């Protein structure tokens, strides 16, 4: 390879809103390729199942993202990798020191206890939709509020600050998000979290995430604030976008929707297949890592100091399962990469799974004939965020 290709920008350039950016599949079809990102930084792109797993798990790569390839065309990222408590950018023991205690809060048993509360929140929002008539925007009626209330409950933050969580997330994950705006929102959120911290210190309560961090870890206040804000942001943006994208995928595939309708008790495996396929089909650039020593991946040598970016298009690799480029809700669950892989694999995966399962089961049980009010290809999608999703999903029923 003599020249680096230009990285297709995912959100702005999709031929179909649920498909890859134009030119992406061709660009990666012959294996690893060097690309230049919109911020001018060059990096290798890997999109095979084996290659992605290697980049995300091999100790030759660091998660420190300073100066990484980025979809932003202007402005600084709103967060420095070195920000205390930014677990996503730490390696080895430093990372584990933060991650280990938090993972207790996401244990399967704890998530099982959350399920009735998630169900209650979902049912209340479906009641509201039903009361309002026979049409709604799914994004504002369900996708955004449910994950936001669930994560508030898990953390122990009063739910009335929902709008503030969403505004902070917009600045943190906005493609051209402003550092000053993010800091202003984070300071406001910090005040809210600070009050919860003081209450937990006084009561010794460890039943929620902030209580657990305050009373059972050695995290200092700066780390604790960053972790709490990070969880609030990670906990609602991704889940809400993906619930919308899954619903749209099902609207486009009535044959597959029928499989969910026929046996909603299989929602657990159905969510895994929707995640594998939807994320894989969207393709595009994903998570960045920096090589700290020369390392071989998919037949190329990534030199120390070079960037590697993985594409979750790898979810459609035949090495993962037969007919991988097809959606098959009757498939048994496979080890897809939708929640990442290796030491930074999504901490909230069990929570996200529980929410997505309950949301899908409940939505189609309550409104069996729910359908899009306009064709999916004509809906508007958010082009302003690092995470991708629909801005509005107009639906009708009855
Ligand atoms: C459908 C929903 C979700 C998807 C697709 C998703 C995806 C991911 C992915 C791919 C990573 C790995 C990033 C990397 O390797 O650098 C990750 C990490 C993470 N996710 Fe999620 N996530 C979702 C929901 C959640 C939820 C609900 C929470 C918390 C409440 C959460 C918290 C986190 C945290 C804290 C990390 C960083 C873990 C670490 O650095 O050790 N995520 N997520």
């Amino acid at each position: 390879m003599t020249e680096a290709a230009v990285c297709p920008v995912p959100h702005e350039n999709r031929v179909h809103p649920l498909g890859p950016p134009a030119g992406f599949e061709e660009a990666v079809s012959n294996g690893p390729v060097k690309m230049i990102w919109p911020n001018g930084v060059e990096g290798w792109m890997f999109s095979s199942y084996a290659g992605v797993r290697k980049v995300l798990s091999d100790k030759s790569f660091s998660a420190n993202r300073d100066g990484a390839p980025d979809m932003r065309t202007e402005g600084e990222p709103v967060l420095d990798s070195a920000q205390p408590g930014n677990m996503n950018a730490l390696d080895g023991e430093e990372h584990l020191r933060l991650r280990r205690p938090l993972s207790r809060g996401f244990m399967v048993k704890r998530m099982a206890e959350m399920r009735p509360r998630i169900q209650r929140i979902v049912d209340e929002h479906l009641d509201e939709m039903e009361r309002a008539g026979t049409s709604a925007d799914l994004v504002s009626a369900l996708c955004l509020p449910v994950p936001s209330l669930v994560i508030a409950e898990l953390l122990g933050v009063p739910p009335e600050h929902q709008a503030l969580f969403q505004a902070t997330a917009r600045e943190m994950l906005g493609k051209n998000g402003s550092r000053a705006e993010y800091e202003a929102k984070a300071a406001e959120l910090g005040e809210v979290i600070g009050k919860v911290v003081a209450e937990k210190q006084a009561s010794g309560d460890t039943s929620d995430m902030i209580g657990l961090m305050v009373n059972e870890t050695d995290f200092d206040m700066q780390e604790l604030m960053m972790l709490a804000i990070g969880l609030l942001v990670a906990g609602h943006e991704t889940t809400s976008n993906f619930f919308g994208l899954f619903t749209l995928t099902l609207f486009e595939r009535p044959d597959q929707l029928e499989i969910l309708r026929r046996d909603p008790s299989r929602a657990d495996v159905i969510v895994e297949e929707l995640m594998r396929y939807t994320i894989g089909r969207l393709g595009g650039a994903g998570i960045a890592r920096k090589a700290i020593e020369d390392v071989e991946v998919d037949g190329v040598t990534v030199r120390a100091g070079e960037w590697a970016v993985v594409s979750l298009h790898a979810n459609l690799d035949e090495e993962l399962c037969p007919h991988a480029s097809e959606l098959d809700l009757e498939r048994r669950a496979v080890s897809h990469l939708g929640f990442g892989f290796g030491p930074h694999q999504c901490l909230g995966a069990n929570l996200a799974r529980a929410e997505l399962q309950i949301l899908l089961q409940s939505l189609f049980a309550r409104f069996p004939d729910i359908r899009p009010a306009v064709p999916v290809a004509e809906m508007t999608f958010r082009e302003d965020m690092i995470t991708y999703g629909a801005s509005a999903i107009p639906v009708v029923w009855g």
Side-chain angles (χ1 to χ4, degrees):
M1 159 109 4
T2 49
E3 246 179 85
V6 174
C7 177
V9 180
H11 311 344
E12 288 155 12
N13 205 10
R14 296 182 194 273
V15 177
H16 183 282
L18 302 176
F24 177 79
E25 284 176 309
E26 296 75 11
V28 298
S29 62
N30 291 321
V33 57
K34 259 196 177 170
M35 288 183 176
I36 298 174
W37 262 256
N39 68 343
V41 178
E42 196 175 288
W44 286 100
M45 169 83 89
F46 295 97
S47 61
S48 77
Y49 186 59
V52 170
R53 282 161 57 117
K54 176 142 190 188
V55 172
L56 295 182
S57 60
D58 197 296
K59 289 200 167 67
S60 307
F61 289 100
S62 165
N64 185 313
R65 313 279 213 284
D66 281 336
D70 199 322
M71 285 301 159
R72 281 170 237 263
T73 47
E74 54 193 72
E76 289 276 296
V78 296
L79 269 187
D80 290 327
S81 273
Q83 174 101 18
N86 186 10
M87 134 165 91
N88 195 243
L90 293 173
D91 298 319
E93 266 310 309
E94 277 186 317
H95 169 240
L96 278 178
R97 184 188 145 256
L98 300 180
R99 178 166 171 127
R100 219 182 272 123
L102 283 193
S103 48
R104 286 209 301 279
F106 285 105
M107 280 185 319
V108 176
K109 184 173 162 278
R110 200 138 187 179
M111 291 305 105
E113 288 162 8
M114 283 288 289
R115 287 187 88 98
R117 287 191 257 169
I118 300 173
Q119 186 72 61
R120 195 197 60 225
I121 292 171
V122 170
D123 287 343
E124 282 167 8
H125 285 78
L126 293 175
D127 291 346
E128 188 63 38
M129 276 171 66
E130 208 169 0
R131 269 196 298 272
T134 56
S135 67
D137 163 29
L138 263 194
V139 173
S140 52
L142 212 56
C143 303
L144 278 175
V146 169
S148 169
L149 288 167
V150 170
I151 188 69
E153 187 143 346
L154 184 87
L155 277 161
V157 175
E160 61 267 22
H161 302 292
Q162 251 192 94
L164 180 58
F165 308 160
Q166 284 165 19
T168 313
R170 267 197 303 277
E171 290 307 324
M172 200 174 189
L173 301 175
K175 257 199 292 173
N176 291 311
S178 122
R179 188 182 277 242
E181 282 294 313
Y182 164 71
E183 279 168 4
K185 289 285 170 252
E188 224 179 301
L189 196 51
E191 253 175 64
V192 172
I193 296 172
K195 281 197 192 123
V196 180
V197 167
E199 282 164 23
K200 300 292 163 190
Q201 271 164 341
S203 67
D205 178 14
T206 58
S207 64
D208 54 45
M209 220 58 172
I210 294 184
L212 190 148
M213 289 197 274
V214 169
N215 294 313
E216 289 190 1
T217 71
D218 63 354
F219 302 164
D220 66 28
M221 195 49 105
Q222 239 188 327
E223 288 173 329
L224 198 149
M225 289 287 181
M226 183 66 233
L227 286 165
I229 293 174
L231 286 172
L232 273 173
V233 170
H236 84 79
E237 270 297 320
T238 40
T239 314
S240 77
N241 279 330
F242 277 108
F243 174 58
L245 293 167
F246 288 2
T247 309
L248 294 175
T249 300
L250 290 171
F251 284 155
E252 294 252 281
R253 291 294 302 274
D255 59 320
Q256 297 291 312
L257 178 53
E258 196 42 44
I259 296 173
L260 168 67
R261 285 202 174 110
R262 224 168 34 227
D263 189 0
S265 70
R266 287 183 67 258
D268 51 352
V269 265
I270 286 178
V271 161
E272 296 310 307
E273 174 65 358
L274 278 169
M275 177 142 275
R276 182 194 73 78
Y277 174 82
T278 310
I279 294 185
R281 193 170 160 223
L282 285 171
I287 309 156
R289 297 281 192 268
K290 190 179 207 165
I292 48 176
E293 59 192 2
D294 290 4
V295 51
E296 183 95 4
V297 185
D298 276 353
V300 301
T301 304
V302 184
R303 303 266 171 224
E306 283 188 325
W307 289 101
V309 177
V310 301
S311 169
L312 300 184
H313 183 58
N315 271 351
L316 305 189
D317 190 332
E318 289 285 308
E319 202 188 315
L320 173 56
C321 56
H323 312 295
S325 57
E326 286 164 30
L327 174 69
D328 177 5
L329 295 188
E330 282 174 326
R331 198 193 291 276
R332 61 179 181 79
V334 295
S335 305
H336 64 76
L337 300 168
F339 289 112
F341 185 73
H344 290 276
Q345 188 165 30
C346 181
L347 197 55
N350 287 329
L351 178 65
R353 287 182 166 117
E355 289 182 75
L356 291 165
Q357 291 161 12
I358 293 170
L359 275 162
L360 278 181
Q361 274 172 332
S362 311
L363 175 68
F364 290 102
R366 179 75 71 100
F367 304 107
D369 67 343
I370 194 164
R371 55 201 180 272
V374 297
V376 172
E378 287 170 23
M379 291 183 190
T380 51
F381 287 76
R382 298 160 66 172
E383 295 182 354
D384 57 333
M385 305 287 277
I386 292 169
T387 50
Y388 180 70
S391 324
I393 304 182
V395 288
V396 291
W397 62 87

